[in-house]
Amino acid sequence: MVIHTERLTLRPWRETDAENLFAYASDPDVGPAAGWPPHRSVEESREIIRTVFTAPHTFAVCLAATDEPVGSIGLMPPRCESSDRSAELELEVGYWVAKPFWGRDFAPEAVRAMQRYAFETLGCKALWCGYYEGNNKSLRVQQKCGFAPHHVERDVPCELMGDVRTECFTYLTCEDWRRQTMRQRDSPFVALDQREGKR
């Protein structure tokens, strides 16, 4: 499965992406804010591609012009207890984008593509998203993509980082997503994105 947007290609990860992944995932400003430690070697990045990134609905976020991976995005079973896990009616979106590409709206562009994929292709009824307290960049992405605040969980163990955090969860139903899409259909960005989605 490959998904195209105006500026990005979302495609499966390849082992040949390991050097690119390490170059960006080794940055200490990227992983810890999302709950995972910086990568320590190209081989570690390659092993993560072989294991973690082979999960269903997991994509490399690549620049459309060069096919260079600059982040990752995926859908997973929701981690919060408030979710409806029956028949995969609800999923959670997880994502990150490399620091050199911050501030260019690549993350919202990728998240919007995953929303369409989840709701139109997979038939999801709702999507969850989350961010650790203080990760305002991730919060802004979720706000731009229509997620609404849902609840806060305190003293959540962050196993990969070995600490305890406060996590804020946001929520978007398919019905709300469709209403938002209809309201925004005349905006230049959404119009371009919709045309890309029909390729």
Side-chain angles (χ1 to χ4, degrees):
M1 178 70 181
V2 177
I3 300 171
H4 299 281
T5 72
E6 181 185 359
R7 300 175 296 168
L8 303 173
T9 299
L10 311 185
R11 61 158 174 82
W13 282 92
R14 307 164 185 152
E15 288 192 29
T16 52
D17 295 325
E19 289 190 9
N20 279 103
L21 175 59
F22 174 69
Y24 295 131
S26 58
D27 188 330
D29 288 335
V30 176
W36 47 271
H39 292 195
R40 295 165 294 183
S41 67
V42 173
E43 186 51 44
E44 180 182 10
S45 294
R46 185 173 290 110
E47 184 62 21
I48 287 173
I49 291 172
R50 291 181 186 136
T51 54
V52 179
F53 289 171
T54 55
H57 317 307
T58 299
F59 301 86
V61 177
C62 303
L63 301 178
T66 64
D67 199 41
E68 176 191 3
V70 297
S72 188
I73 194 166
L75 298 170
M76 66 197 85
R79 293 167 297 121
C80 64
E81 293 302 321
S82 302
S83 62
D84 180 0
R85 294 177 174 82
S86 60
E88 295 188 349
L89 292 177
E90 298 185 355
L91 290 172
E92 181 174 339
V93 186
Y95 56 87
W96 62 268
V97 169
K99 188 174 180 179
F101 302 93
W102 290 357
R104 297 167 64 179
D105 273 348
F106 284 137
E109 188 169 333
V111 171
R112 290 186 185 105
M114 291 303 285
Q115 288 173 331
R116 182 178 296 111
Y117 173 64
F119 291 133
E120 294 189 347
T121 302
L122 301 181
C124 286
K125 302 302 181 186
L127 286 176
W128 292 89
C129 206
Y131 62 95
Y132 290 116
E133 190 174 56
N135 189 351
N136 293 325
K137 290 183 177 62
S138 190
L139 168 60
R140 285 194 293 272
V141 170
Q142 293 168 45
Q143 291 171 334
K144 288 179 179 181
C145 294
F147 286 92
H150 190 275
H151 72 281
V152 175
E153 295 183 8
R154 304 188 187 280
D155 300 322
V156 177
C158 183
E159 296 180 4
L160 293 178
M161 293 299 296
D163 57 15
V164 175
R165 304 186 181 190
T166 294
E167 188 163 12
C168 307
F169 286 93
T170 60
Y171 190 66
L172 177 67
T173 66
C174 182
E175 291 78 8
D176 284 343
W177 174 76
R178 291 188 186 282
R179 280 194 289 268
Q180 291 171 12
T181 302
M182 289 296 292
R183 284 199 302 267
Q184 298 169 359
R185 69 186 183 277
D186 295 327
S187 75
F189 177 85
V190 173
L192 281 169
D193 196 33
Q194 287 174 337
R195 286 200 292 272
E196 292 289 336
K198 293 177 181 177
R199 285 185 176 180

